[in-house]
Amino acid sequence: MDALSHLAGGFAVALQPLNLLLALVGVFVGTFVGMLPGIGPINAIAILIPITFATGMEPASALILMAGIYYGSQYGNSISTILLNVPGTASAVVTALDGHAMTRQGRGGPALAMAAIASFFGGTVSIFFLIFFAPLLAEWAIRFGPAEYFALMVFAFAALSSLAGGSVLKGLAATALGLLLATVGLDPNSAIPRYTFGQIKLLDGMDFVVVTIGLFAVSEVLQLLEETERGQAVTRGYGRVMITAKEFLSSLGAQIRGSVLGFLIGVLPGAGGTIASFLAYSTEQRVSDREGTFGKGDIRGVAAPESANNAAATGAMIPLLTLGVPGSGTTAVLLGALLGLGVTPGPLLITEEPDLFWGLAASMYVGNVFLLLLNLPLVGLFVRALTLPRWFLLPGVAALSFVAVYAVNQSAFDLVLMTGFGVAGYLLRKTGVPLAPIILGLVLGPLMEKSLRRAMSLSGGDWGVLFSSPIAITLWLLATASLVVPPLLARRVTAPASGATPTRTPPR
Amino acid sequence: MSAPTRTDRAAGAVLGLLGLAVALEATTFDVLFLTDPVGPKAIPMLAAAILVGSGAALVARPGSGGAWPGHGILLRMAGAIAAFGVYAAILAPLGFVLSTTATVASLSMLFGGPWRRSVGAAAALAVVLWYLFVWLLGLPLPLGAVWEALWTR
């Protein structure tokens, strides 16, 4: 197979000592990031961006590190969910149902082991899907013109707006805020300044690292100030971190179904790990919950969502790499990082930058092996990190944010901007406006505007060009459907966790 | 009217007004000769339209926004925001290590850390970060204009 020989080349990249080390560091940091309050994968990757730029790292190496944090955080997430019933992000909310129930029964150890194994299963199975589907999609996407790209981005915005959390209206407003931030600075076509208010420092536009760290890290610190009265996390005994062969075999079906479902949902824009894990859980419940044990500490209730959200994380890399159009907040930050490193993801990436694509695919495999090897013996260390006091942890996150934001332009003005975005982010969180669409709008906005203007220039000002090809029309229909269908469905069935906004403080 | 509904109405009003302001500003984006049929106004106007539309809809049909913290916590938040602002002001003159120690220590205390250990942890963190970023990763962080002036005198 062609793909297998490419993959061998990828392993040659991934197994270089530096890249091996970066994959290890990435998944290790990712585990902490997914587990601890105050810092998520979006923050961590945003903080790393200026640092990788400053060290002059190869794009492939930087991507290996950042992707490691991304999928590693999915593992870490399950640790705090299972032991403390505090999901780091919404994608682990359903894992809490059976995972924490197992902890209460003193079977936290097997739940943790199951989560690690299911994550490994979902992570590695989906890499094979990635290797086979990404080149196919890239070949197909070569035919996309600017009009198709514009429609595709509209679809990505629509899907994330309606699925990122709670209300579609608030999701749309968030997207609009992101698009607006993207227009700040000199317009590249006409060279007139937009929304700079005479500030010379704004002519270059809003740096998305500053905006992201402000919106996510600083607002998270402010939000967590609300909870200082809360006592320190207390973990209870969890037993040996092992599962029996019988437990593994009984959950194998759940893992396979979870991986396939998770991958497919991950590829779609907007949905991501949250919906993947939720659907995998409810599917598994329907398929195999004959004795009504789900929700009461059934190990399959851990296996299904954990394999699904890891597979979704891999699936989400496909539109990012082959189309250059991310469908989630985290992949939007990855796109920003790639653009900053001078790599433009798109249909040509696989053929023009084979080392980057195949090296990343191979390193994700290596990283998943690391995660499995790390997670089982090191759970004790991770648990101790969970008991770190917040007065130590969160100011530390703030200090890292300062360094990263300052490193972007060596400018104190950026620190003020960051603080402003932090306050805005806090208010938006409080009013239930999701933050991920803002980042997507900010990163994708300039590309969207460019596609629109190029399409219209080519057509000589005829708006019909946007609806002139079957692909474009299909994408427009999908965009409309993703805005209209979820609210209608939500009206019919009140889905419990699927629409939950990512929160670090679910009710105990 | 419950507090969450009020939150949504207020959010809708703010978003809608922001949209109007955005549209108003966009009308000034006049170009002497059009380089492309779309021009610089289209995307801002689209964003403004979405903001006005979703803002108005939120005012008309509010859902459930969040609950707000009490005065004590708001005060502590104001303290944290002030600490961020002060940091931006003192970073260049006082340098990374001292400003980071001061800011991180005050944040730690706002999070309820005991003051001695907060200051100690903050100072240790500042020194570790300095060595990590400046020495190991080669990232420029300010040494402090005040100290440099004293040094070179």
Side-chain angles (χ1 to χ4, degrees):
Chain A
M1 286 294 281
D2 203 26
L4 290 181
S5 70
H6 283 307
L7 189 60
F11 272 105
V13 175
L15 294 177
Q16 285 166 13
L18 175 67
N19 291 343
L20 213 53
L21 179 72
L22 288 173
L24 180 66
V25 170
V27 297
F28 193 67
V29 171
T31 305
F32 280 104
V33 153
M35 179 176 75
L36 296 173
I39 185 159
I42 291 185
N43 285 338
I45 295 169
I47 287 173
L48 271 178
I49 287 171
I51 297 169
T52 50
F53 288 4
T55 53
M57 211 180 264
E58 288 282 312
S61 302
L63 189 59
I64 284 171
L65 174 67
M66 291 172 189
I69 291 179
Y70 177 32
Y71 58 81
S73 70
Q74 304 282 351
Y75 273 66
N77 222 335
S78 62
I79 298 176
S80 58
T81 307
I82 289 170
L83 292 179
L84 301 177
N85 202 17
V86 181
T89 58
S91 64
V93 168
V94 284
T95 307
L97 299 175
D98 283 284
H100 191 64
M102 286 177 73
T103 301
R104 283 199 304 271
Q105 296 160 7
R107 293 195 294 141
L112 288 171
M114 185 75 252
I117 290 166
S119 299
F120 176 77
F121 196 92
T124 43
V125 165
S126 56
I127 293 167
F128 281 96
F129 293 147
L130 170 84
I131 291 166
F132 287 101
F133 285 123
L136 291 179
L137 188 63
E139 237 163 75
W140 180 69
I142 275 179
R143 287 176 289 173
F144 276 34
E148 284 79 14
Y149 265 107
F150 181 71
L152 178 66
M153 291 182 217
V154 171
F155 173 40
F157 285 133
L160 190 62
S161 301
S162 85
L163 298 172
S167 130
V168 178
L169 287 176
K170 290 176 184 171
L172 280 173
T175 302
L177 289 175
L179 288 175
L180 185 63
L181 289 174
T183 62
V184 173
L186 277 186
D187 170 34
N189 275 41
S190 61
I192 65 160
R194 295 189 287 187
Y195 305 107
T196 54
F197 308 106
Q199 286 279 340
I200 292 166
K201 283 175 171 152
L202 288 177
L203 282 180
D204 277 343
M206 293 278 179
D207 192 284
F208 91 99
V209 171
V210 178
V211 178
T212 307
I213 292 176
L215 279 180
F216 284 84
V218 175
S219 77
E220 182 90 34
V221 169
L222 293 178
Q223 165 120 15
L224 287 171
L225 267 176
E226 285 183 19
E227 300 165 19
T228 42
E229 274 88 13
R230 182 175 288 175
Q232 205 166 307
V234 183
T235 52
R236 50 176 101 206
Y238 46 86
R240 284 188 66 196
V241 186
M242 288 275 275
I243 56 169
T244 60
K246 194 170 149 252
E247 283 170 319
F248 177 75
L249 290 175
S250 78
S251 65
L252 193 59
Q255 293 182 50
I256 294 170
R257 283 185 286 274
S259 303
V260 175
L261 196 67
F263 176 80
L264 293 175
I265 291 171
V267 175
L268 296 175
T274 310
I275 291 182
S277 59
F278 179 76
L279 276 183
Y281 185 85
S282 55
T283 306
E284 203 50 39
Q285 198 172 19
R286 218 168 305 143
V287 172
S288 51
D289 185 19
R290 298 212 178 77
E291 287 94 41
T293 48
F294 269 58
K296 295 171 190 149
D298 193 314
I299 201 160
R300 292 169 300 183
V302 175
E306 283 306 306
S307 53
N309 68 31
N310 276 270
T314 311
M317 301 296 283
I318 290 188
L320 168 68
L321 294 172
T322 62
L323 302 172
V325 176
S328 68
T330 318
T331 45
V333 176
L334 283 174
L335 174 63
L338 283 172
L339 294 175
L341 288 161
V343 178
T344 312
L348 298 174
L349 178 87
I350 299 178
T351 42
E352 284 180 356
E353 307 253 7
D355 279 4
L356 185 103
F357 176 79
W358 297 102
L360 174 69
S363 94
M364 286 170 78
Y365 190 83
V366 174
N368 271 285
V369 174
F370 280 145
L371 277 169
L372 189 65
L373 295 178
L374 279 178
N375 258 259
L376 296 180
L378 290 186
V379 159
L381 175 73
F382 295 134
V383 169
R384 217 166 314 146
L386 276 178
T387 59
L388 274 179
R390 289 194 167 173
W391 65 258
F392 178 75
L393 191 65
L394 292 163
V397 170
L400 279 173
S401 307
F402 294 155
V403 174
V405 165
Y406 184 79
V408 174
N409 292 321
Q410 274 85 47
S411 134
F413 176 72
D414 283 344
L415 289 168
V416 177
L417 264 186
M418 173 198 82
T419 309
F421 279 107
V423 176
Y426 173 77
L427 295 173
L428 291 169
R429 273 173 203 260
K430 279 290 168 187
T431 45
V433 177
L435 300 176
I438 302 182
I439 298 303
L440 189 68
L442 176 61
V443 176
L444 222 44
L447 301 172
M448 178 181 166
E449 186 166 24
K450 204 163 78 183
S451 308
L452 174 67
R453 290 168 122 173
R454 193 175 291 163
M456 294 293 288
S457 292
L458 290 174
S459 77
D462 174 17
W463 290 91
V465 70
L466 298 179
F467 311 94
S468 60
S469 77
I471 295 175
I473 292 170
T474 311
L475 289 166
W476 282 105
L477 290 176
L478 285 172
T480 315
S482 58
L483 284 181
V484 176
V485 174
L488 289 180
L489 283 180
R491 209 168 295 172
R492 288 189 54 189
V493 280
T494 34
S498 66
T501 6
T503 171
R504 292 176 181 282
T505 54
R508 298 196 170 197
Chain B
M1 196 163 64
S2 68
T5 323
R6 237 180 357 244
T7 300
D8 256 25
R9 287 231 158 103
V14 170
L15 290 170
L17 289 175
L18 177 68
L20 288 179
V22 165
L24 200 65
E25 174 77 12
T27 56
T28 67
F29 298 159
D30 288 319
V31 279
L32 295 174
F33 54 95
L34 218 49
T35 45
D36 62 289
V38 178
K41 284 181 196 174
I43 295 289
M45 282 298 188
L46 175 72
I50 298 173
L51 283 174
V52 171
S54 55
L58 273 177
V59 173
R61 292 181 52 193
S64 51
W68 295 88
H71 287 295
I73 288 169
L74 284 181
L75 210 63
R76 221 175 322 180
M77 246 173 238
I81 294 164
F84 287 128
V86 168
Y87 187 75
I90 63 175
L91 180 61
L94 294 187
F96 178 79
V97 174
L98 197 62
S99 347
T100 305
T101 305
T103 307
V104 169
S106 20
L107 284 174
S108 290
M109 285 186 273
L110 286 169
F111 270 98
W115 79 268
R116 271 175 219 272
R117 289 166 71 194
S118 294
V119 174
L125 183 71
V127 172
V128 167
L129 286 179
W130 173 271
Y131 275 96
L132 181 66
F133 286 105
V134 176
W135 287 72
L136 211 60
L137 299 173
L139 224 66
L141 291 174
L143 189 65
V146 172
W147 316 129
E148 277 173 45
L150 284 179
W151 229 272
T152 48
R153 212 156 47 137

